[in-house]
Amino acid sequence: MRTTVAIIGAGPAGLFLSHLLHLHGVDSVVLERRDRDYCERRQRAGVVEHGVAEALRESGLGRRMDREGFRHDGIELRFDGRGHRIDFPDLTGRHVMIWAQTEIVKDLIARRLTDGGQILFEAEATAVEGVESERPRVRFASPGGDEDVLECDYVVACDGFHGIGRTSLPEEVVSTYDKVYPFAWLGILADVPPSCDELIYARHERGFALHSMRSETVSRLYLQVPAETDTAAWSDDRIWSELAARFELADGAWKLGTGPITDKSITPMRSFVTEPMRHGRLFLAGDAAHIVPPTGAKGLNLAMRDVMLLAEGLRRRYAEGDTAGLDAYSDTALRRVWRAEHFSYWMTSLMHTDPAATPFDNRMQQSYLEHIAACRPAAAQLAENYTGLPEV
Ligand code: FAD
Ligand code: DHB
């Protein structure tokens, strides 16, 4: 089998890359180890940055997002029993879209298949070879279990944190940077209308909580829990009463609606970066190259931005015979990656209760939150990063 660009992974990064390449007239094949249903159901992120939403629209994938998603002009920071709104358009001229990763993936798969694109589901990549040559190959196990080979000009590994792409770079060229946090998020989906119009990020001495949403009738909520927590330890009643305690306002003027919980999962919290994001004809994009803790809602957005850059580099390579975009990819992407790493780390440190924190540390968090509430440039800095920095 032969194609121009072999893409490993049908997450948002791999699928969006394949779609953008198609619009540029560049062929690709996507190898995905899971089945289509699994890819379309996996619950993950929900916030799309201003610029990424624009890119989805420009590529013809904005219609359902604009009809069924929500435009959000702010978030609430809740601490010490009070709420403080961060107004995005006022502070930055930008907004975000609340549009689930599952929906982006569904639209991308449907569109690729309508456009005649090749996504091989249940096809697990097992090895990447010859990336220092002009004819790299990806070995994969086809759905029947037979070994097959995909030959190509370039390989892009969009195969997430546990894929084979990153480990295919020679050890001696790679540097990795890692931080593991002593807590995780317990995420739920519930059939209950959201109790708020905008997302609430709550800092509480019992731990962080986040109220998000998926539709007029479905809420998405998260609770900080200790690392290594098992969902079995969290009954529905325990989850709702813990959420209510962490979101409580001092004046009692807000009530959390409850309803049947349809999904429960644990997300570990980690920061991780691999450098470089390219070796020879192998490129890394999205979670394959970097992980952020989810507090700043950056994981999905970073993945989409990586492939926007890569798609433009590949377009230039094939339309103009110019590899400058591809050659600059790793350095350019890493500038944004490190900015998002810092923002995600900072939001996480600001909002969570670290089990090792001293009373001094807690006062530091509280003081900075009060500063954001009182000082426009501090609020603007948060809003700039949250809505996505166009210049990085
Ligand atoms: P992925 O979405 O991980 O896609 C990688 C794909 O590659 C998968 O489909 C996988 O099956 C496939 N694959 C792996 N290995 C192979 C192989 N050998 N051969 C073929 N296919 C392979 N971000 C937020 O901003 N907010 C959140 O709330 C949030 N929650 C998350 C919850 C969880 C449990 C996880 C894991 C991540 C979460 N994230 C969140 C992060 C965000 O969802 C990711 O950053 C985003 O999915 C990255 O997209 P990606 O395409 O790079 O990788
Ligand atoms: C969601 C996830 C996030 O990590 C976040 O910061 C905001 C919203 C969500 O899943 O809706």
Side-chain angles (χ1 to χ4, degrees):
M1 214 175 169
R2 170 148 188 94
T3 187
T4 307
V5 181
I7 299 173
I8 311 175
L15 291 166
F16 195 39
L17 177 61
S18 173
H19 173 60
L20 293 174
L21 289 178
H22 171 72
L23 298 180
H24 297 323
V26 179
D27 259 4
S28 67
V29 171
V30 180
L31 301 173
E32 168 57 53
R33 75 185 161 113
R34 302 287 197 157
D35 63 23
R36 178 175 175 179
D37 189 55
Y38 182 92
C39 293
E40 291 185 342
R41 277 171 194 269
R42 193 168 28 193
Q43 284 302 323
R44 287 185 170 179
V47 178
V48 181
E49 285 177 0
H50 190 114
V52 174
E54 276 299 304
L56 283 169
R57 289 184 191 104
E58 279 164 20
S59 76
L61 286 161
R63 193 136 16 115
R64 215 160 63 83
M65 174 180 73
D66 286 328
R67 201 173 57 228
E68 297 172 31
F70 303 118
R71 173 191 156 132
H72 277 198
D73 285 342
I75 53 171
E76 181 184 323
L77 296 181
R78 200 171 273 198
F79 57 98
D80 287 340
R82 284 175 292 124
H84 178 80
R85 181 163 188 262
I86 306 288
D87 184 326
F88 296 150
D90 177 43
L91 293 162
T92 68
R94 299 193 294 273
H95 60 264
V96 295
M97 293 299 296
I98 304 303
W99 183 234
Q101 181 168 329
T102 42
E103 304 307 314
I104 295 176
V105 165
K106 276 186 217 162
D107 282 354
L108 278 166
I109 291 176
R111 180 62 185 268
R112 284 309 293 127
L113 297 180
T114 309
D115 288 344
Q118 269 192 289
I119 307 171
L120 305 185
F121 289 103
E122 298 179 80
E124 177 163 2
T126 51
V128 180
E129 296 170 353
V131 297
E132 289 169 11
S133 77
E134 295 197 347
R135 285 273 175 271
R137 293 171 302 280
V138 181
R139 290 191 184 279
F140 66 99
S142 65
D146 295 336
E147 195 188 82
D148 216 329
V149 178
L150 179 59
E151 294 179 347
C152 55
D153 291 357
Y154 295 98
V155 180
V156 184
C158 302
D159 51 353
F161 188 60
H162 301 289
I164 59 154
R166 191 175 61 250
T167 53
S168 304
L169 269 73
E171 248 174 61
E172 61 277 13
V173 307
V174 171
S175 303
T176 57
Y177 304 85
D178 202 6
K179 177 172 174 63
V180 176
Y181 300 81
F183 36 75
W185 279 11
L186 168 64
I188 61 160
L189 262 190
D191 285 335
V192 57
S195 304
C196 47
D197 296 328
E198 294 177 340
L199 272 53
I200 305 173
Y201 287 79
R203 173 186 179 269
H204 192 279
E205 62 194 18
R206 301 177 69 96
F208 170 75
L210 168 61
H211 193 322
S212 182
M213 58 197 71
R214 289 291 176 265
S215 69
E216 308 278 359
T217 54
V218 176
S219 297
R220 175 87 168 140
L221 295 116
Y222 298 96
L223 271 177
Q224 175 189 345
V225 293
E228 316 297 333
T229 293
D230 185 341
T231 51
W234 284 84
S235 67
D236 294 9
D237 284 350
R238 183 177 177 206
I239 291 173
W240 286 120
S241 67
E242 191 62 31
L243 283 166
R246 294 187 194 183
F247 285 119
E248 194 175 38
L249 285 177
D251 62 7
W254 187 84
K255 193 169 172 340
L256 178 66
T258 64
I261 295 177
T262 56
D263 188 88
K264 265 183 218 177
S265 62
I266 301 282
T267 303
M269 307 278 273
R270 153 172 234 154
S271 302
F272 178 89
V273 181
T274 303
E275 292 181 345
M277 287 169 61
R278 173 202 187 161
H279 180 69
R281 288 182 171 238
L282 169 63
F283 294 85
L284 305 180
D287 278 15
H290 40 74
I291 298 283
V292 286
T295 324
K298 288 288 155 234
L300 165 66
N301 292 294
L302 271 185
M304 302 292 269
R305 296 261 188 191
D306 283 353
V307 298
M308 286 156 62
L309 205 55
L310 208 41
E312 174 55 19
L314 286 160
R315 184 202 63 75
R316 248 170 102 178
R317 155 77 176 81
Y318 287 99
E320 298 159 25
D322 175 1
T323 62
L326 291 180
D327 295 339
Y329 168 72
S330 179
D331 287 347
T332 311
L334 280 164
R335 268 196 295 279
R336 186 197 318 278
V337 167
W338 278 112
R339 178 86 302 278
E341 287 289 344
H342 175 263
F343 176 64
S344 307
Y345 159 84
W346 175 79
M347 276 283 276
T348 301
S349 312
L350 184 67
M351 302 302 297
H352 289 70
T353 309
D354 187 327
T358 61
F360 177 85
D361 297 325
N362 292 331
R363 280 282 198 265
M364 291 291 100
Q365 281 182 317
Q366 202 178 341
S367 167
Y368 206 84
L369 281 163
E370 282 165 11
H371 180 53
I372 292 171
C375 171
R376 186 178 167 90
Q381 208 171 78
L382 192 160
E384 292 278 355
N385 281 278
Y386 192 92
T387 54
L389 294 161
E391 66 278 12
V392 186

